[in-house]
Amino acid sequence: MTNPSQVHAFALAAAVLSSLGGAAAAGAEDTPPQSGVQIELNALQDQGSACRLSFLAQNTHATDIEEAVYETVLFDQSGGVMTFTLFDFRDLPAGRPRVRQFDLPDIACADVGRVLINGASSCIADGGNALCETGLDLKSRTDVELLG
């Protein structure tokens, strides 16, 4: 049989643990998302003898990016390098999504296995070159993986 002091201690411990769990959950919800540049490979579509890559990009920094050019590498289905190129995402205003499309001549979209954003080749913004790479968040809505 348990005595009243054991019941009180158990109830107190449960209340403390419950409040700690709630505080941890509240703390996680209160943490603002990291700012950066989000790039999503949204679609690949054959356009004649070219593969058109469509990206959805959003600058979540508080500062506009006047120019963002990314070194990009396309790999084939077996992992071999197909091409190395520069994708000019142009201006990326703060908080506003932009769709950018790039046509790659003499490449069939079915041959593309992965796309690597190698880094910013050029970035013009008040925060400097780091603004285009800090917090870079990459994802793909397609079967082609987007890496960085």
Side-chain angles (χ1 to χ4, degrees):
M1 181 169 195
T2 58
N3 66 39
S5 63
Q6 287 175 323
V7 170
H8 178 70
F10 178 75
L12 182 60
V16 167
L17 289 174
S18 174
S19 69
L20 288 176
E29 291 172 7
D30 294 342
T31 304
Q34 181 180 4
S35 63
V37 176
Q38 300 169 346
I39 299 177
E40 173 190 90
L41 178 55
N42 188 273
L44 286 90
Q45 184 178 26
D46 287 309
Q47 296 291 314
S49 64
C51 178
R52 175 173 291 163
L53 281 70
S54 297
F55 292 90
L56 174 63
Q58 184 157 353
N59 170 12
T60 61
H61 291 293
T63 304
D64 290 344
I65 296 174
E66 296 172 40
E67 177 185 289
V69 179
Y70 289 98
E71 295 177 357
T72 308
V73 183
L74 271 71
F75 296 89
D76 62 22
Q77 293 290 337
S78 66
V81 173
M82 295 175 72
T83 189
F84 180 91
T85 189
L86 298 174
F87 284 168
D88 186 354
F89 280 80
R90 302 188 313 265
D91 63 313
L92 296 173
R96 299 188 58 198
R98 292 288 183 253
V99 173
R100 303 292 189 232
Q101 295 182 319
F102 305 96
D103 288 348
L104 301 169
D106 302 322
I107 293 179
C109 292
D111 294 341
V112 179
R114 294 185 299 170
V115 177
L116 170 68
I117 302 294
N118 221 19
S121 171
S122 173
C123 182
I124 300 174
D126 284 342
N129 199 45
L131 201 62
C132 291
E133 293 185 357
T134 303
L136 187 60
D137 180 23
L138 305 172
K139 58 185 149 210
S140 179
R141 189 177 284 267
T142 73
D143 292 336
V144 175
E145 185 179 12
L146 183 60
L147 309 165

